[in-house]
Every structure is written in structure tokens, then in C-alpha cells.
Amino acid sequence: MGRRRLQSALVGLAIGVVLADSSVVTLALPDILARFDVEVPTVAWVLTSFNLLLALTAVPAAYAARRRPKAAFAAGTLVFAGASILCALAPAFAVLVAGRCVQAVGGALVVCAALDLLLAVLGSDARAAATWAAAGVLGAALGPAVGGVLTQLAGWESIFLAQAPLALATLAGLAGLGAVAAVPGDVGRPHVAANAALLLVSGALAAALFLLVILLVNGWRLEPAVAGLVVTVMPAAAIVAGRLAPRVGGPVVRAATGAILIGGGLAALAFLPHAGVAWTVPPQILVGAGLGLALSALTEHALAGRSPQAVHGGWTIASRHAGVVLGLLLLTPIFTASLDRNQDEALAAATAAVLDSKVPPLDKLRLAQDVLAEVDRAEGRVPDVGPAFAERVEGESGDEYRGLWAEIEDQLDRAATNAFSSSFLVSSLLALAALVPIGLSRGEVGV
């Protein structure tokens, strides 16, 4: 690999590591909840705090990076790596959230400075913007999958412990890179329409990147590593779509196509006919392809013809992560209320199934109590009622118990699946709403 390709790869890795952080702990949230004595809505701040601080600090970081890109990249990397170690070793939840906030500040410096570094390495605004956008898309898409596998294999702390050396390794990309001069000239206004579309699309993607993995783990009781492998469909589709993107058309056409694909995929997730991993694959392909087209196209569209790119890159990062925060704040209460409502209905149906079943009459009440005990132990997750049936299926009435067990689990799976429908539909509308600013931006840069 040539020196320039290695430098651009290392800078791209830094971008991917930082932007993966917006979603990498999604599959670790149940374990983090178990580690710290906090409520379910509170643990969501592990996600929200990072995205909120990144949105708030991206533009100031971009102005700082404009002056001294190499120094900003190095400083941001050191801050991000140090904060990652703090998160891994956090003795209390407040320390973890504080570490996430510091990560976001360091990450903002890294991502914004990286755009000017790529320009220095590649020598072309267009190539630098395309590489920068692609690295960000892959990082965001791969985050849940990587986080799920690491959580399953080595615990949630390993996510942050792995980030620190990866981030520090990217500093090698500065070696042999000469002084990167600040880009002269006044900063023009940001591309309002493209950034507004980025905000809406990113808000919609919160459902795909966050709610889907929560459905898989908390709703369908998959192990984090398995759920992580399931959601690799999205980044795989994003990679393929990114390679085919030049054949689709200009940035506006690609952005509109991507928004429609995301909206369609999310709508399909809202109407899953059954609980089952296979049913999520076609919608994930649509969402992933849309992600690969829309985010990169809108980012390039927002940067095209605007100088200095680092500053306008800061606006795109701010828009994207403000959109993620919007999605989290908008969708979380919707699916939480729906989950509570559907679980209550499912438990009522399960209780009726126990009472109407042909299991020994004297055991019906004890079985119902054991099932409710598993519900209490679930702590906000869809319960696994298997322990209530474990010993009973071995007796003379084993077939009756096995049938009842399957019926109750089916009720709970359907309740979890239905609970996410409203959130997926709302997020689909967010993606389609992005077509309005995409259309308004049509005349600013050629399609």
C-alpha cells in the first residue's frame, strides 16, 4: 500500500471509529443497565449524551481544526482515547456519561480536522469529501454489529478498551504529512437544505440503528453477538450501494433515492408479519442501500463548492447527530409506551392461556405465579418464561407444558414486534420528509 493510501486509510479509520460511537453501545445497553442502578430511560443517555455533545461541538471544533488541522486531529485523538479508557473503567453511571461527553468533544475535533487532512493527502476537494463521507457512513452502520459482538465476547467495557488503541494507531497517519495550511477566505453560509435533509434522514436512521437492535435483544431475546451479526446486513448493503452510487446519478438523485429506500425499509419493519430474524433481512437491505446512497450524497452535496470544507463538514456532523438526538427523543417514548401496552395485553392473554390449558389444574396457579416472577425479573426486557417451564416439561404432562410454553412465547414475541410498529412508521415518515429539503436543494448544485 502506498504512503498516501495508507495515510487516507488511517484518517478514514479515525472517522469511522468516532462516528461508530454514535451507535456502538446500543446492544450493550442491557448490560450497562444491569451494571449500574439506574432506570431504563436514564441509561439511554449513554447514547444521547454522545450524539448531543457531538452535535453541539462540531461547528466550533471545525473552526478550531481549520486553523491547525494536524494539531486538532492529534489533540482530538488523545482526548477521545483517554475518554474511552475512562468510560471502560467508570465506577458510576455519571462518570460513564461524563466520559461519553468528553469522547464527543475529542471526536468532533478528529472528524472535522480529518477532512482537511484528506484534502492534503488526496489533493482534491471532491475525493476528500467522498472518502470522508464514506468512512462516516461505514462507521455509523457498523457500530451496532461491532458493539454487539464485543459485548457478548468480552463485556461492554471492551468496546471502549478497543477504541483507545485503534484511535491512537490512526496518529500514524500524520507521519510524513507536511504542514497543512489553513484554508484562506471567508466562510460562506452552510448548505441549509442539504443539512436539513441530513438531519431528517439521520433521525429516521435512529430507528434502524437503534430500535431494530433493541427489538432483537430486548424483544426477541437474541444474544448481543447474534443480534450484532444480524444487523451486519445493513452495512453490507450500504457498502454495495456506495460502490454502485455513481451509476445512480448526481447527489440530489442519489439522496432522493436513498431517502425513499430508507422510508420503504422502515415501513416494512413496521409491518413484520411474524417475529423472526429472516423477516428483517429484506427491510435491512432497503435501509442499508438507502443509507449508503443518502448520507454520502447529502454530505457531498453540502460540501460541494464550499470553502473551507472543514467548517462546512462541521455543519454536516452537527446536522447528522442533531438528527440522531431528535430520533431518540421522538421515538423512545413512543415505543416505550407501546411496549408497556402490548406486554400488558400479551400477559393477559398468556394468563388466560394458562387457565384454559389442559395442564394439571392444581399447578395452574403456581405456573401463573412462576411466569409472573420471570416477568418481574426481566427488568424492562421481554421476559424469557423458559425457567418457569424447565422442570415441568419433563413430567407426564410434558407435551401440554411445551405447547403452552410455545403459545406464551408467541404472544410475547408478537407483543414486542407490534410495540415497535408505530416507531418504525414515524421514522419512515421522517425519511420521506427529507425529500422536501432535497427537492429544494436541487438548483444549488447540479444533479
Side-chain angles (χ1 to χ4, degrees):
M1 181 182 291
R3 190 185 70 180
R4 289 185 178 276
R5 289 186 63 186
L6 178 60
Q7 287 174 329
S8 62
L10 288 170
V11 174
L13 175 62
I15 298 166
V17 168
V18 169
L19 295 187
D21 241 38
S22 67
S23 58
V24 74
V25 295
T26 305
L27 283 166
L29 290 182
D31 286 2
I32 295 174
L33 180 66
R35 166 68 175 80
F36 300 106
D37 186 19
V38 294
E39 300 294 327
V40 173
T42 304
V43 80
W45 278 99
V46 178
L47 287 172
T48 306
S49 60
F50 180 86
N51 286 286
L52 180 60
L53 262 293
L54 191 55
L56 292 175
T57 59
V59 175
Y63 275 94
R66 177 195 178 192
R67 300 176 186 277
R68 300 182 63 187
K70 289 179 64 176
F73 184 90
T77 299
L78 293 173
V79 170
F80 182 85
S84 297
I85 295 172
L86 174 63
C87 289
L89 302 178
F93 184 75
V95 178
L96 175 59
V97 173
R100 293 285 284 163
C101 292
V102 177
Q103 271 190 311
V105 175
L109 282 170
V110 170
V111 174
C112 294
L115 188 51
D116 276 344
L117 296 183
L118 286 171
L119 175 58
V121 171
L122 300 174
S124 162
D125 282 348
R127 288 181 63 196
T131 302
W132 189 76
V137 168
L138 288 180
L142 283 169
V146 173
V149 172
L150 286 174
T151 297
Q152 183 70 33
L153 296 179
W156 64 267
E157 297 90 345
S158 66
I159 295 173
F160 300 109
L161 289 175
Q163 285 178 339
L166 271 179
L168 293 173
T170 66
L171 290 174
L174 300 179
L177 186 63
V180 181
V183 178
D186 296 329
V187 178
R189 71 176 182 85
H191 194 312
V192 176
N195 283 308
L198 269 173
L199 185 147
L200 292 170
V201 167
S202 298
L205 286 170
L209 296 176
F210 303 136
L211 293 187
L212 177 58
V213 293
I214 292 173
L215 173 61
L216 294 174
V217 175
N218 288 32
W220 296 350
R221 301 176 294 279
L222 269 65
E223 295 293 337
V226 177
L229 293 175
V230 170
V231 297
T232 58
V233 174
M234 273 188 286
I239 292 170
V240 173
R243 291 187 175 277
L244 298 176
R247 303 179 187 178
V248 176
V252 174
V253 173
R254 282 184 281 132
T257 303
I260 293 170
L261 289 173
I262 292 169
L266 290 169
L269 287 172
F271 294 104
L272 294 175
H274 300 288
V277 167
W279 291 105
T280 72
V281 172
Q284 283 194 74
I285 292 173
L286 292 176
V287 173
L291 187 156
L293 292 173
L295 285 189
S296 58
L298 287 169
T299 300
E300 293 171 34
H301 195 33
L303 296 177
R306 284 170 166 77
S307 181
Q309 285 210 327
V311 172
H312 292 286
W315 281 108
T316 69
I317 294 298
S319 300
R320 280 179 56 173
H321 292 275
V324 173
V325 173
L326 171 66
L328 288 172
L329 295 179
L330 179 64
L331 300 174
T332 300
I334 295 175
F335 90 79
T336 300
S338 296
L339 186 60
D340 289 342
R341 182 175 63 253
N342 281 273
Q343 277 193 345
D344 288 343
E345 294 173 359
L347 288 174
T351 302
V354 171
L355 296 177
D356 293 339
S357 69
K358 295 180 181 180
V359 302
L362 294 178
D363 193 38
K364 287 184 177 181
L365 182 57
R366 288 194 298 270
L367 176 59
Q369 291 173 333
D370 290 345
V371 168
L372 291 175
E374 296 303 325
V375 172
D376 291 337
R377 273 193 283 270
E379 296 183 344
R381 300 179 66 176
V382 173
D384 178 7
V385 297
F389 288 87
E391 296 181 0
R392 292 178 168 94
V393 296
E394 303 299 329
E396 294 182 0
S397 302
D399 289 341
E400 292 293 338
Y401 282 112
R402 277 189 286 271
L404 182 58
W405 181 4
E407 182 179 351
I408 291 175
E409 286 205 330
D410 181 62
Q411 293 276 3
L412 292 172
D413 286 344
R414 277 188 283 166
T417 305
N418 294 337
F420 286 78
S421 293
S422 297
S423 295
F424 283 130
L425 276 178
V426 171
S427 60
S428 175
L429 293 176
L430 279 177
L432 296 177
L435 292 172
V436 175
I438 290 172
L440 293 174
S441 71
R442 186 179 178 86
E444 296 191 37
V445 176
V447 298

